[in-house]
Amino acid sequence: MTAKTIYVYSPSSAVRNKQAVRRGIARLKAMGHQVELDPGAFSTHMRFAGDDEVRLAGIERAAASGADVAIITRGGYGLTRLLPRLPYKAIAKAIDRETRFVGLSDFTAFQCAVLAETGRVTWAGPAVGEDFGGESEPDDIMQACFEDLVEEQGEGTGWQLPKAEARAEPWQAKGVLWGSNLAMVASLVGTPWLPQVKNGILFLEDVSEHPYRVERMLTQLLYAGVLQKQKAIILGHFTNWTPVPHDKGYKLHTVVEWLRTQVKCPVFTGLPFGHVPTKVCLPVGAKVTLAVEGRDAFILWGHMH
């Protein structure tokens, strides 16, 4: 294994748990990587990791770093307000030089905008604090998938579908993989930064959103004509919400079943991605093959430079 360079920066919310980020960096170094922490990574301005100028400068430094991987400290909120001013040309050049931008949650806004503006691929994957900086050891699968990404070895991922979604006949579709955090994707409807992906494979996850709010955001994507253009919709994890007595049996499964009545394409669930310890790395904007055999589902993208 050759040592790779990893650049860590904060484009969204302020880092409140600096110890977790430091632990995460120590673990990345222990894996054999050279890690550089952006000078503005621990900046704070209200809830943000510095004001807009500070965070834009951090993104510009990440793009100019020449690192193999540029990874966020954490998500939260803050990228949406930067979208008109992101250095798209510099980001595209960095990606062409094989810097892989990695993150999730609020980072979805960056990923969608970069795809819409430049057509370049970014990676849905871990954040340093939450995923590498916990008090217990990082999740084995998450770490292995991240290592594959850093080493440029990952060519796909797989998971097991619920029994009810098993296919009697093998099924597959090819298309551009895109999406990630549902709230962020929905918030970009009607803006220039929602990618116009036809015949795509849309994957979605979220955290702290009650199923009725998940449904409301899905209806927005439906009524905006986004869902109808996809070849498949894949749902990851929707975590950290609490049922209330008013639900009377309405739950996430209800939303999924409703969604299936609204779209012609298949809706698969159980993708190991979201605000959960076990998460795979996924190339946002890449052409992939989604293949299902029985209960086994695979997203395959082959070797990517």
Side-chain angles (χ1 to χ4, degrees):
M1 187 180 97
T2 51
K4 299 288 184 173
T5 54
I6 297 176
Y7 195 88
V8 178
Y9 67 114
S10 300
S12 300
S13 279
V15 173
R16 302 295 184 214
N17 188 348
K18 294 178 188 173
Q19 195 56 40
V21 171
R22 290 193 181 105
R23 260 197 311 264
I25 287 171
R27 285 194 176 120
L28 289 169
K29 286 180 176 175
M31 289 159 69
H33 305 305
Q34 296 175 333
V35 184
E36 184 178 354
L37 182 65
D38 183 78
F42 291 150
S43 299
T44 65
H45 173 72
M46 296 188 285
R47 65 179 298 119
F48 305 106
D51 63 21
D52 293 359
E53 302 302 329
V54 165
R55 290 181 297 118
L56 277 166
I59 292 167
E60 285 166 2
R61 284 190 293 269
S65 68
D68 295 292
V69 169
I71 186 172
I72 62 170
T73 54
R74 60 160 299 182
Y77 170 72
L79 269 162
T80 317
R81 60 197 283 174
L82 303 182
L83 297 185
R85 299 175 60 199
L86 286 184
Y88 292 105
K89 283 183 182 171
I91 291 165
K93 278 183 185 170
I95 293 169
D96 291 346
R97 291 194 307 264
E98 300 194 12
T99 293
R100 289 174 288 288
F101 288 85
V102 182
L104 78 164
S105 198
D106 188 61
F107 194 63
T108 301
F110 176 100
Q111 297 182 296
C112 284
V114 167
L115 179 56
E117 290 275 356
T118 74
R120 300 308 196 277
V121 173
T122 57
W123 289 82
V128 173
E130 181 184 348
D131 294 299
F132 288 102
E135 293 187 14
S136 55
E137 286 297 307
D139 180 84
D140 288 347
I141 292 172
M142 181 281 296
Q143 197 162 322
C145 291
F146 182 74
E147 273 296 275
D148 280 348
L149 168 64
V150 177
E151 293 293 319
E152 298 184 60
Q153 290 171 344
E155 298 192 359
T157 192
W159 75 102
Q160 191 168 61
L161 299 168
K163 282 181 185 171
E165 295 176 23
R167 292 252 157 176
E169 298 287 326
W171 179 93
Q172 73 170 37
K174 294 181 194 296
V176 170
L177 182 70
W178 73 291
S180 202
N181 183 261
L182 171 60
M184 300 316 302
V185 173
S187 75
L188 295 176
V189 168
T191 75
W193 300 290
L194 184 76
Q196 300 300 310
V197 180
K198 287 182 181 173
N199 300 316
I201 292 165
L202 175 64
F203 74 102
L204 299 165
E205 60 79 30
D206 220 319
V207 62
S208 303
E209 300 285 6
H210 189 284
Y212 82 83
R213 295 168 67 130
V214 171
E215 182 177 310
R216 186 164 62 197
M217 290 185 280
L218 287 169
T219 58
Q220 186 175 3
L221 294 175
L222 180 73
Y223 300 155
V226 175
L227 300 186
Q228 297 91 321
K229 293 176 187 169
Q230 308 310 312
K231 283 188 179 175
I233 297 167
I234 311 173
L235 302 179
H237 291 274
F238 291 79
T239 48
N240 196 30
W241 60 273
T242 308
V244 294
H246 185 68
D247 291 335
K248 303 287 186 199
Y250 175 89
K251 49 184 189 272
L252 196 60
H253 180 71
T254 317
V255 178
V256 177
E257 289 304 309
W258 168 83
L259 178 60
R260 288 185 171 127
T261 68
Q262 302 298 306
V263 292
K264 289 177 181 169
C265 72
V267 178
F268 299 110
T269 67
L271 176 70
F273 192 78
H275 290 69
V276 289
T278 304
K279 61 170 70 74
V280 296
C281 291
L282 298 165
V284 177
K287 287 180 179 167
V288 303
T289 299
L290 172 63
V292 178
E293 296 179 20
R295 288 180 65 187
D296 295 324
F298 304 93
I299 299 173
L300 308 167
W301 51 85
H303 186 68
M304 290 178 60
H305 289 290

